[in-house]
Amino acid sequence: MKQTLTHFDAAGHAHMVDIADKAVTHRVAVARGSIRMKPETLALVKRGSAKKGDVIGIARIAAIQGAKRTADLIPLCHPIPITRVAVELEIDEAASTVHCTATVECDGKTGVEMEALTAVQVGLLTVYDMCKAADRGMVIEQVRLLEKHGGKSGSFVAA
Amino acid sequence: MKQTLTHFDAAGHAHMVDIADKAVTHRVAVARGSIRMKPETLALVKRGSAKKGDVIGIARIAAIQGAKRTADLIPLCHPIPITRVAVELEIDEAASTVHCTATVECDGKTGVEMEALTAVQVGLLTVYDMCKAADRGMVIEQVRLLEKHGGKSGSFVAA
Amino acid sequence: MKQTLTHFDAAGHAHMVDIADKAVTHRVAVARGSIRMKPETLALVKRGSAKKGDVIGIARIAAIQGAKRTADLIPLCHPIPITRVAVELEIDEAASTVHCTATVECDGKTGVEMEALTAVQVGLLTVYDMCKAADRGMVIEQVRLLEKHGGKSGSFVAA
Amino acid sequence: MKQTLTHFDAAGHAHMVDIADKAVTHRVAVARGSIRMKPETLALVKRGSAKKGDVIGIARIAAIQGAKRTADLIPLCHPIPITRVAVELEIDEAASTVHCTATVECDGKTGVEMEALTAVQVGLLTVYDMCKAADRGMVIEQVRLLEKHGGKSGSFVAA
Amino acid sequence: MKQTLTHFDAAGHAHMVDIADKAVTHRVAVARGSIRMKPETLALVKRGSAKKGDVIGIARIAAIQGAKRTADLIPLCHPIPITRVAVELEIDEAASTVHCTATVECDGKTGVEMEALTAVQVGLLTVYDMCKAADRGMVIEQVRLLEKHGGKSGSFVAA
Amino acid sequence: MKQTLTHFDAAGHAHMVDIADKAVTHRVAVARGSIRMKPETLALVKRGSAKKGDVIGIARIAAIQGAKRTADLIPLCHPIPITRVAVELEIDEAASTVHCTATVECDGKTGVEMEALTAVQVGLLTVYDMCKAADRGMVIEQVRLLEKHGGKSGSFVAA
């Protein structure tokens, strides 16, 4: 593990890290998170997805757009030429939960982990927004990077 | 509990809900979430906060700015005249976690729950971004509304 | 008809018009436009709306979000506290066209005509984007204000 | 003609299409549209362009800036490194119309059709905004792609 | 003079100050700044303003739009319902300088000083951008608040 | 010195200049500016930087984010893939001034002078915002390009 945080220079000042000398490689990141809700709320989401009032479809669009806003939201992120965003939302009745998984890819000098995580967060927030009149006690949980590939630091796969 | 989702009309089409007839009242929302990391990573965050490389201070600024971007990110949110945003981040060594709590207030026709939740999410994502070179296995968890007050639906306090 | 354009001062310089002394009233604007395409393309749109690949649903979300970006896009528009956005898209097989109608409301000092028109334009552009691999010859046409109400200039209803 | 819409995967879920394997080529798109108004309104526009109150000049700037906002507005568009935007507006007295033509270029993996169309739409909306106090009955019409070049699908020239 | 900075709470943490209890009053702010350049560069600006290549007109539009982006750019600024923006640019041959003065007004709970200053800065940066191929040594100087009125702290007029 | 402004075409119409044929080279720009304030105000800034209420740290973050917004703010700027942003703020007690220096780098077809200048302006505006309750007479001055390297026009170093 690195003993310092790369987003700070030797004087401890925040900077956007210099990536000019890094190679342009193909990079992929997959992130995932969940929102847990009452079974009755999940039933409303499920009903909508099947017929009308499509919570899942709207959250997917918001997540894709969220990936594109990452450098606006996260102060030290580089703007990145994203080449692909795919977002899946699954209804898990056993856990009374909606899971959101985002895959982001680019050909660039730095990775797309933050883009994938931001997509997941915006997707889950959008589910919260659309269901909150029915259930304010929903909890977003287990948002994490599942895997990333490409770049000098190589691959990461969550345990 | 409402049996339908208000963000859809009778035909099941998404809309930005009509709030014209709602009263302008003072509204407050408090949201909270956490990011769990290795103890060694938390030590880096803590060291920075005390001396230099201020992860906590930067995450706080990103969270405050994130609250202002809510209507840009969440498709069906109304633009809201925020009157206050306060964000606290606490280092919890026992849980090897940073907690983020955001309080947002407005005088308006609809609540600021989404603004508070978005602030928390952007704050935690910013911590992730600044620590990710040291630890890609961090997990964002327990993001939820703690309480909200004001408006016709009255107060909500998490159990 | 006014003999001058209000967006310019006496010297001919553009400005954002002073609305401080205008009354806060409830204002509504409805705009509409269409995109004409090949019957085969329309069939793809229609198939998706019924089952999967929901062009109409995505265009609706983009239109709602577009209304919120109006003051960012149109240089002399005031930022406006929108209270409602509703967007309908209809498939018109006789005309081989998709029609988009947006209704925007606010309680404010200036009208929401531009917000309604911008919603329509972004909705139609989104249909274009999603269908363009199949049909680059689509034409957006007849984008216009249908009606507006509220404010000192009173109501307008298109002939 | 393709029998499916590429913006949806096999399950019918929207995604931002993978362009990583597409070649970086020089790409050009030209779009055009018009706004029809009363002859008296057109006279105001014309007078301003010649002397002061420059509707045409402001619409051109708004259109150029609009091209840069395309990926923000259209949910499934990729962010694109635009290398050129040129926008012409012509006053057509015979048709009592202002025509807007936008040319956008990039060196990238996907085309700039949407950027050119968005530029045209924002340019025409800006004309509408500046003339609406004089004439709310203006109609935006015939917004379409004139031509595009570059990329695997080759050239398109409107009939 | 206040002995503390209001943008920090008792613990020294940045926050967006609570303005809920402040009165809604009419507020005005006027800011001004200048960009000094070589006489030959100023001649190019002047020529364009008179005939074509309108640097001054474009900088004015950019400044007006910049005022609307203030809360996006300045971390602790509140979003504000601007009711008027007017921007003047004057060519001062004696000083080989372009002066930019912005007046911003609102009816709100906090002032518009930052909006006026941001408008000036964006206007001057736009002049720089358009003239930089001819003159990279231009200097932006004397950007300051000229006056502000309204609100509890009353009027300020620069010495 | 060029005798024309490149941001206008032969007809005098503004355009985003065609950079497709320019080489991708490494480019660096350094800009600098200052904000002068009362010694008592500077003392507040200094106290905060040392202990709490970190004006300098927040201005640095705002400046870095500002660099990323350049193409949104300046109408004819190209979107640029920034590879590094570093911002220094120094307290100069002799001059009762805070100096802000921004360095921006990219590998691209056009330079990053505007990004460096925008970072400086947003950083200085943020200092103004945080200190304005104590001192409305602060003056931003001497904002200029210090040096730039890379690209066909070669290096520039301020006299």
Side-chain angles (χ1 to χ4, degrees):
Chain A
M1 197 179 95
K2 293 202 185 179
Q3 289 312 297
T4 55
L5 299 176
T6 53
H7 279 35
F8 299 98
D9 65 17
H13 298 159
H15 59 160
M16 188 193 286
V17 177
D18 188 0
I19 58 170
D21 291 338
K22 296 173 79 173
V24 171
T25 65
H26 188 67
R27 294 158 190 270
V28 185
V30 184
R32 182 180 168 97
S34 305
I35 182 166
R36 186 164 35 86
M37 56 188 73
K38 293 182 201 159
E40 309 92 272
T41 313
L42 194 73
L44 291 174
V45 172
K46 196 181 175 195
R47 195 167 65 188
S49 299
K51 210 178 55 177
K52 61 181 187 179
D54 183 10
V55 172
I56 297 297
I58 295 170
R60 185 185 293 114
I61 291 300
I64 291 171
Q65 290 178 293
K68 292 190 271 186
R69 309 300 292 273
T70 304
D72 268 4
L73 294 171
I74 312 298
L76 304 176
C77 274
H78 296 81
I80 287 185
I82 294 172
T83 57
R84 178 181 175 232
V85 184
V87 175
E88 280 316 297
L89 291 116
E90 302 153 56
I91 292 175
D92 175 344
E93 286 178 276
S96 201
T97 287
V98 177
H99 304 294
C100 178
T101 308
T103 304
V104 180
E105 306 189 25
C106 81
D107 293 307
K109 296 187 166 198
T110 188
V112 282
E113 294 98 311
M114 294 315 301
E115 283 69 16
L117 286 162
T118 301
V120 167
Q121 297 282 48
V122 174
L124 295 174
L125 284 170
T126 299
V127 173
Y128 189 100
D129 181 48
M130 286 191 288
C131 297
K132 72 177 188 291
D135 185 358
R136 280 200 170 76
M138 291 174 284
V139 180
I140 292 172
E141 49 191 23
Q142 288 291 106
V143 180
R144 65 206 184 281
L145 185 68
L146 288 190
E147 52 188 292
K148 76 115 200 163
H149 306 285
K152 205 178 69 176
S153 70
S155 289
F156 165 87
V157 179
Chain B
M1 196 179 96
K2 294 205 184 178
Q3 288 312 300
T4 55
L5 298 177
T6 53
H7 279 36
F8 299 97
D9 65 18
H13 298 159
H15 58 160
M16 188 194 287
V17 177
D18 188 359
I19 58 168
D21 291 337
K22 295 174 78 173
V24 171
T25 64
H26 188 67
R27 293 157 190 273
V28 185
V30 184
R32 182 180 168 98
S34 305
I35 183 165
R36 188 164 34 86
M37 57 188 71
K38 292 182 202 159
E40 309 91 275
T41 313
L42 194 73
L44 290 174
V45 172
K46 197 181 173 193
R47 196 166 63 187
S49 300
K51 210 177 56 177
K52 61 183 190 178
D54 183 10
V55 171
I56 296 296
I58 295 170
R60 185 185 293 115
I61 291 300
I64 291 171
Q65 291 179 293
K68 293 191 271 187
R69 309 301 293 273
T70 304
D72 268 5
L73 294 170
I74 311 299
L76 303 176
C77 273
H78 296 81
I80 287 186
I82 294 172
T83 56
R84 178 180 175 233
V85 184
V87 176
E88 281 314 298
L89 291 115
E90 303 152 57
I91 293 176
D92 175 345
E93 284 178 276
S96 202
T97 288
V98 177
H99 304 294
C100 179
T101 308
T103 304
V104 180
E105 306 190 25
C106 81
D107 293 307
K109 295 186 165 200
T110 189
V112 281
E113 295 97 311
M114 295 315 301
E115 282 70 15
L117 286 162
T118 301
V120 167
Q121 298 281 48
V122 174
L124 296 173
L125 284 170
T126 300
V127 172
Y128 189 99
D129 181 47
M130 286 189 289
C131 298
K132 71 178 190 291
D135 184 359
R136 279 198 171 77
M138 290 173 284
V139 180
I140 291 172
E141 50 192 21
Q142 289 291 106
V143 181
R144 64 206 185 282
L145 186 68
L146 289 190
E147 53 187 295
K148 77 116 198 160
H149 306 285
K152 204 178 70 178
S153 71
S155 289
F156 165 87
V157 178
Chain C
M1 195 180 96
K2 294 203 182 176
Q3 288 312 297
T4 55
L5 299 176
T6 53
H7 279 35
F8 300 98
D9 64 18
H13 298 159
H15 58 160
M16 188 193 288
V17 177
D18 188 359
I19 58 170
D21 292 336
K22 297 174 77 173
V24 171
T25 65
H26 187 67
R27 293 157 190 272
V28 184
V30 184
R32 183 180 167 99
S34 305
I35 182 166
R36 187 165 34 87
M37 57 188 71
K38 293 183 201 158
E40 309 91 275
T41 313
L42 195 73
L44 290 174
V45 172
K46 197 182 172 193
R47 196 166 62 187
S49 300
K51 210 178 53 177
K52 60 181 190 180
D54 184 9
V55 171
I56 297 296
I58 295 171
R60 184 184 294 114
I61 292 298
I64 292 171
Q65 291 179 292
K68 293 190 269 186
R69 309 301 293 272
T70 304
D72 268 4
L73 294 170
I74 311 299
L76 303 176
C77 273
H78 296 79
I80 287 185
I82 295 172
T83 56
R84 179 181 175 231
V85 184
V87 176
E88 281 314 297
L89 290 116
E90 304 152 56
I91 293 175
D92 176 343
E93 285 178 276
S96 201
T97 287
V98 177
H99 303 294
C100 178
T101 308
T103 304
V104 180
E105 306 189 25
C106 81
D107 294 306
K109 295 187 166 198
T110 189
V112 281
E113 296 97 311
M114 295 314 301
E115 281 71 15
L117 287 162
T118 301
V120 167
Q121 297 282 49
V122 174
L124 296 173
L125 284 170
T126 300
V127 172
Y128 189 100
D129 181 48
M130 286 189 289
C131 297
K132 73 178 189 290
D135 184 0
R136 281 199 170 75
M138 291 173 285
V139 180
I140 292 172
E141 51 191 22
Q142 290 290 105
V143 181
R144 64 207 185 281
L145 185 67
L146 288 190
E147 53 187 293
K148 76 115 199 160
H149 306 287
K152 204 179 71 177
S153 71
S155 289
F156 165 87
V157 179
Chain D
M1 195 180 94
K2 294 202 184 178
Q3 288 311 299
T4 54
L5 298 176
T6 54
H7 279 36
F8 299 98
D9 65 18
H13 298 159
H15 58 160
M16 188 194 287
V17 177
D18 188 0
I19 59 169
D21 291 337
K22 296 175 79 172
V24 171
T25 65
H26 188 68
R27 293 159 190 271
V28 184
V30 184
R32 183 181 168 98
S34 305
I35 182 165
R36 186 164 36 85
M37 57 187 72
K38 293 181 199 159
E40 309 90 274
T41 313
L42 195 73
L44 291 174
V45 172
K46 196 181 173 194
R47 196 165 63 187
S49 300
K51 209 177 54 176
K52 61 181 189 179
D54 183 11
V55 172
I56 297 297
I58 295 171
R60 185 184 294 114
I61 292 298
I64 292 171
Q65 291 179 290
K68 292 190 270 186
R69 309 300 292 273
T70 305
D72 267 4
L73 294 171
I74 311 300
L76 303 176
C77 273
H78 296 80
I80 287 185
I82 294 171
T83 56
R84 179 182 175 232
V85 184
V87 175
E88 280 315 296
L89 291 116
E90 302 152 57
I91 292 176
D92 176 343
E93 285 177 277
S96 200
T97 288
V98 177
H99 303 293
C100 179
T101 309
T103 304
V104 181
E105 306 189 25
C106 80
D107 293 306
K109 295 187 166 199
T110 189
V112 281
E113 295 97 312
M114 295 314 302
E115 282 70 15
L117 286 162
T118 301
V120 167
Q121 297 282 48
V122 174
L124 296 173
L125 284 171
T126 300
V127 173
Y128 189 99
D129 181 48
M130 286 189 289
C131 297
K132 73 177 189 291
D135 184 358
R136 280 198 170 76
M138 291 172 284
V139 180
I140 292 171
E141 50 191 23
Q142 289 290 106
V143 181
R144 63 206 185 281
L145 186 68
L146 289 190
E147 52 188 293
K148 75 116 199 160
H149 306 286
K152 203 178 71 176
S153 70
S155 289
F156 165 87
V157 179
Chain E
M1 195 179 98
K2 293 201 185 182
Q3 289 312 299
T4 55
L5 299 176
T6 53
H7 279 35
F8 299 98
D9 65 17
H13 299 157
H15 58 161
M16 187 193 287
V17 177
D18 188 0
I19 57 169
D21 292 337
K22 296 174 78 173
V24 171
T25 65
H26 188 66
R27 294 159 189 271
V28 184
V30 184
R32 183 180 167 98
S34 304
I35 182 166
R36 188 165 34 86
M37 57 188 72
K38 292 182 201 159
E40 309 91 275
T41 314
L42 194 73
L44 290 174
V45 172
K46 196 181 174 193
R47 195 166 65 189
S49 299
K51 209 178 55 177
K52 62 182 187 177
D54 184 9
V55 171
I56 296 296
I58 295 170
R60 185 184 293 114
I61 292 299
I64 291 171
Q65 291 179 290
K68 292 191 270 185
R69 310 301 292 274
T70 304
D72 268 5
L73 294 171
I74 312 299
L76 304 176
C77 273
H78 297 80
I80 287 186
I82 294 172
T83 56
R84 178 180 175 233
V85 184
V87 175
E88 280 316 297
L89 291 116
E90 303 152 57
I91 292 175
D92 176 344
E93 286 178 276
S96 201
T97 289
V98 176
H99 303 294
C100 178
T101 308
T103 303
V104 180
E105 305 190 25
C106 82
D107 293 306
K109 295 186 167 199
T110 189
V112 282
E113 295 97 310
M114 295 315 302
E115 282 70 15
L117 286 163
T118 302
V120 168
Q121 297 283 49
V122 173
L124 295 174
L125 284 170
T126 300
V127 173
Y128 189 99
D129 181 47
M130 286 189 291
C131 297
K132 72 177 189 291
D135 185 358
R136 280 199 171 77
M138 290 173 284
V139 180
I140 292 172
E141 50 192 21
Q142 288 292 106
V143 181
R144 66 207 184 279
L145 185 68
L146 288 191
E147 53 187 292
K148 76 116 198 159
H149 306 286
K152 204 178 68 176
S153 70
S155 290
F156 165 86
V157 178
Chain F
M1 197 179 93
K2 293 204 184 179
Q3 288 311 299
T4 55
L5 298 177
T6 52
H7 279 35
F8 300 98
D9 64 17
H13 298 159
H15 58 160
M16 188 194 287
V17 177
D18 188 359
I19 58 169
D21 292 337
K22 296 174 79 174
V24 171
T25 66
H26 188 68
R27 293 157 190 272
V28 185
V30 184
R32 182 180 168 98
S34 305
I35 183 166
R36 187 165 34 87
M37 57 188 72
K38 293 182 202 159
E40 308 91 275
T41 313
L42 194 72
L44 291 174
V45 172
K46 197 182 173 193
R47 197 167 62 188
S49 299
K51 209 177 55 177
K52 62 182 190 178
D54 184 10
V55 172
I56 296 297
I58 294 171
R60 184 184 294 114
I61 292 300
I64 291 171
Q65 290 179 291
K68 292 191 270 185
R69 310 300 292 274
T70 303
D72 268 4
L73 294 171
I74 311 299
L76 304 176
C77 273
H78 296 80
I80 288 185
I82 294 172
T83 55
R84 179 180 175 232
V85 184
V87 175
E88 281 314 298
L89 290 115
E90 303 152 57
I91 292 176
D92 176 343
E93 285 178 276
S96 200
T97 288
V98 176
H99 304 294
C100 178
T101 307
T103 303
V104 181
E105 305 189 27
C106 80
D107 293 306
K109 295 187 167 199
T110 188
V112 281
E113 295 97 311
M114 295 315 300
E115 282 70 15
L117 286 162
T118 301
V120 167
Q121 297 282 49
V122 174
L124 295 174
L125 284 170
T126 300
V127 172
Y128 189 99
D129 181 47
M130 287 191 289
C131 298
K132 72 178 188 292
D135 184 0
R136 279 198 171 75
M138 291 173 284
V139 180
I140 292 172
E141 50 191 22
Q142 289 290 105
V143 180
R144 64 206 184 279
L145 185 67
L146 288 191
E147 52 187 293
K148 76 113 198 163
H149 306 286
K152 204 178 70 176
S153 70
S155 289
F156 165 87
V157 179

